Amino acid sequence: MDSPFPISPEDAARRLLISLRKPTRLLVAISGGSDSTGLLLALHRTLANLQSPHSLVAATIDHALRPQSAQEARSVASLCASLGIPHRILTWHGTKPSTGISAAAREARYRLLADAAADLGAAAIATGHTADDQHETVAMRAARAEADNLGLSGMASAMLYDRRIWVLRPLLSVHRAAIRDYLTDAGIGWIDDPSNSDRRYERVRVRQDRDPGMRPPADEAAKRRRALSNGAADLIENCATLHSGCLIALSPAALNADRQILRHALATLVAVAGGKPHRPGTAALDKLMRLATSGSPGRMTLSRTLVQRRRDGLYLMRELRDVLPRLVPAHSTILWDGRHRVTNHSGDVLRIGPHSEPLSPSGAGVLPTAMLRHMARICPEIWMVSEMEAETAVLPELVSVEPALPLFDRFLPDFDLALADALARLLGRKAYLPLPT
C-alpha cells in the first residue's frame, strides 16, 4: 500500500514491532536480495533502539535452481552471524517441475518457512515484500480481470498460511529505492538474483513494461475489499443457516442486502459449497445475481455448486457430478471432495463416499423430498474396509471429519479473516488463528 509520505525501512519496522500484542519471536525470511536484507537490518536496529521484548531468527530458502544459490545462502548466513541473529538454510529438495516453477517454488518456500518457524519457536514470519511488489501484483491481477477484480486490493499486509502461522509484510509501504539507499548508507550489500531480469516470468515483464509513474490505488482497493468482506461476514452471521452439514440456506432478508456485499457473500458461499479454492468469475456471478434478486424460483450450477432460488430464500449445495468415493489409508488424513478433511485414526483402511440412504426430514428441517435425496448424495458416509472387502460401520472414535474451506485454509489474507471466521462458525469449525498484531 502507498503512503502520502515517504516511509523508511526503520519506520516500517517500528510500526510492526509496536503493533505486536505480546513478546514475539519473528522468523525473517531473507534471500539476500535488497528487500529482505533491508528488512532484517531494520528490524535488528529497531529492536535495539526500542529495547523491545521481541526477538529475531532468520531463514534462507535455497531453491537449488541455480548453481550459485548454495553459496549465496552461505553469505546470508555470514551476515546473520555478524548481527548475532540465529539463521538456518532450508533447501528445497526433490525433482522440480518443468512447468509452473514459480507457483511450485512459492508453495515449497512457505512450507519450509512454516516448518522452520515451528521448530525455532517463532510466532510469525516476516517477509520483505515492498510497495514495488504491491504495484506489480495489482497490475498482474488487473490484467487477468477475474473475480470482480477483487485482486486489485493486492497483497494483504498479513496472510495466514495453512491455518498455522501468520506471514507479515511490514514493508508494503516502503519503496525498493529507499531500502537500497538504507543498505548503502549502512555499508551492507545485497545479492541480485538474475531471475529478476528474466522475461520468461510474468512479474518481470510487468516490472519492466509498466509506467513507473503509475501508482495503482492499492490502499483504496484494500479498504474496499475489507469492507466487502466484513459486510459479507455480517450477512452470513445474520442470514445463513446450515442443514445436515451440506446445505447452506440464505433467508429472503439476505437477498435484499447491499448488492456488492450480497455478491461477495454469494461468491464466497458458492466456493465453500462446491469445495473450490477460488470464487467464480464475473460472468457466472452476474448470472447468479440475476437469479438471486429476481424474486422468481429458479436454479443454476456454477463452481460445482447447485443454487436454488425459492420463495423462502436461496439454497446452495454441492452438485451431484463427480462426488466420488475414496479410500482413507490407516493413520492418514485426506481432503474429500474439497469439502471435508477426513482423518483415519485406526489401523484399517476406511472408505468415504456419499450417503447410501436418504436423509430424514427431522435431520434437515422442513425441506422437499427431492432436496433431501440430493443432500444424501453429497453428504459423507464412512465405512471400514476389511480384508474380505466387506464394509462395516466405523466407530466415531476411529475417524474425524472436519469441514474444509479451500478458499481460505491455505492462504488467508487478513482482510478476509472476519469472513473466514463467520464461515467457520456456520460450519461448526473452530476459528482461524488470530492476528499477532
Side-chain angles (χ1 to χ4, degrees):
M1 294 179 288
D2 278 334
S3 169
F5 304 104
I7 300 296
S8 75
E10 288 193 13
D11 288 336
R14 185 177 298 105
R15 289 181 181 181
L16 171 62
L17 294 172
I18 291 174
S19 74
L20 295 172
R21 294 197 306 266
K22 60 183 180 180
T24 302
R25 173 170 289 182
L26 294 174
L27 172 64
V28 182
I30 174 169
S31 66
S34 60
D35 303 343
S36 57
T37 302
L39 173 63
L40 183 77
L41 181 64
L43 287 170
H44 173 69
R45 287 182 167 181
T46 306
L47 276 173
N49 292 335
L50 292 176
Q51 297 184 334
S52 171
H54 312 301
S55 61
L56 302 178
V57 292
T60 300
I61 306 298
D62 177 5
H63 294 92
L65 295 174
R66 296 182 293 109
Q68 304 89 344
S69 63
Q71 178 55 46
E72 291 171 354
R74 287 192 291 270
S75 69
V76 175
S78 297
L79 171 64
C80 291
S82 72
L83 297 173
I85 299 172
H87 175 268
R88 286 193 182 179
I89 297 174
L90 312 171
T91 303
W92 181 22
H93 294 291
T95 304
K96 310 301 189 294
S98 56
T99 59
I101 187 66
S102 295
R106 178 175 181 258
E107 283 283 347
R109 184 162 57 249
Y110 280 118
R111 173 178 53 80
L112 290 168
L113 288 169
D115 290 345
D119 191 40
L120 293 166
I125 298 167
T127 66
H129 294 94
T130 67
D132 303 81
D133 295 316
Q134 183 73 292
H135 299 151
E136 293 159 9
T137 297
V138 171
M140 289 162 59
R141 294 179 179 176
R144 299 187 189 113
E146 292 180 355
D148 274 351
N149 290 329
L150 288 175
L152 294 187
S153 55
M155 292 181 285
S157 58
M159 179 269 292
L160 180 63
Y161 169 72
D162 200 30
R163 294 171 56 184
R164 56 180 169 142
I165 191 163
W166 281 97
V167 178
L168 309 177
R169 299 167 175 142
L171 300 185
L172 283 184
S173 295
V174 184
H175 290 280
R176 183 166 294 121
I179 297 171
R180 293 188 169 186
D181 288 345
Y182 175 67
L183 290 172
T184 300
D185 290 344
I188 293 179
W190 61 85
I191 298 166
D192 283 319
D193 186 339
S195 66
N196 289 332
S197 301
D198 190 339
R199 288 185 63 84
R200 287 178 297 177
Y201 298 105
E202 179 188 16
R203 183 173 291 276
V204 174
R205 295 193 298 272
V206 169
R207 180 181 305 140
Q208 293 177 350
D209 296 344
R210 71 182 178 88
D211 182 349
M214 293 295 291
R215 298 296 187 201
D219 193 26
E220 291 79 4
K223 290 179 181 177
R224 171 179 174 270
R225 172 67 173 270
R226 192 180 299 276
L228 279 176
S229 289
N230 289 345
D234 289 341
L235 184 150
I236 289 169
E237 289 277 10
N238 296 319
C239 302
T241 54
L242 183 70
H243 297 271
S244 297
C246 60
L247 171 68
I248 299 172
L250 282 179
S251 68
L255 307 182
N256 295 320
D258 174 88
R259 288 295 182 262
Q260 289 303 312
I261 289 175
L262 174 62
R263 186 183 182 93
H264 190 45
L266 287 178
T268 303
L269 289 169
V270 162
V272 169
K276 301 286 281 185
H278 305 290
R279 294 176 176 88
T282 300
L285 276 177
D286 288 343
K287 186 176 179 181
L288 175 58
M289 284 295 291
R290 288 195 293 270
L291 172 66
T293 59
S294 67
S296 302
R299 56 190 286 161
M300 66 175 289
T301 57
L302 70 165
S303 296
R304 301 199 314 190
T305 296
L306 171 65
V307 182
Q308 294 190 40
R309 175 68 160 93
R310 291 162 34 116
R311 287 189 297 273
D312 56 350
L314 200 71
Y315 293 83
L316 302 93
M317 54 186 169
R318 172 71 161 87
E319 67 172 325
L320 295 178
R321 180 169 57 92
D322 296 331
V323 183
L324 304 174
R326 284 190 61 187
L327 295 179
V328 189
H331 305 295
S332 67
T333 299
I334 70 164
L335 183 65
W336 181 68
D337 195 46
R339 297 176 296 135
H340 301 279
R341 193 175 305 278
V342 184
T343 300
N344 180 358
H345 304 292
S346 77
D348 298 300
V349 176
L350 305 181
R351 184 184 72 87
I352 181 169
H355 260 267
S356 54
E357 300 292 336
L359 298 179
S360 63
S362 60
V366 182
L367 296 172
T369 301
M371 191 173 286
L372 293 172
R373 286 198 299 265
H374 184 118
M375 291 166 62
R377 295 174 65 185
I378 62 172
C379 287
E381 188 172 54
I382 301 175
W383 299 89
M384 184 174 291
V385 181
S386 70
E387 293 181 358
M388 302 299 294
E389 298 188 355
E391 296 185 347
T392 57
V394 178
L395 296 174
E397 62 267 23
L398 297 180
V399 63
S400 56
V401 181
E402 178 188 39
L405 294 170
L407 183 63
F408 298 129
D409 284 350
R410 196 66 172 165
F411 300 103
L412 171 59
D414 70 327
F415 40 62
D416 274 344
L417 180 58
L419 178 54
D421 277 341
L423 286 162
R425 286 189 291 272
L426 176 67
L427 298 178
R429 204 181 82 176
K430 67 179 182 179
Y432 285 87
L433 189 70
L435 272 162
T437 57

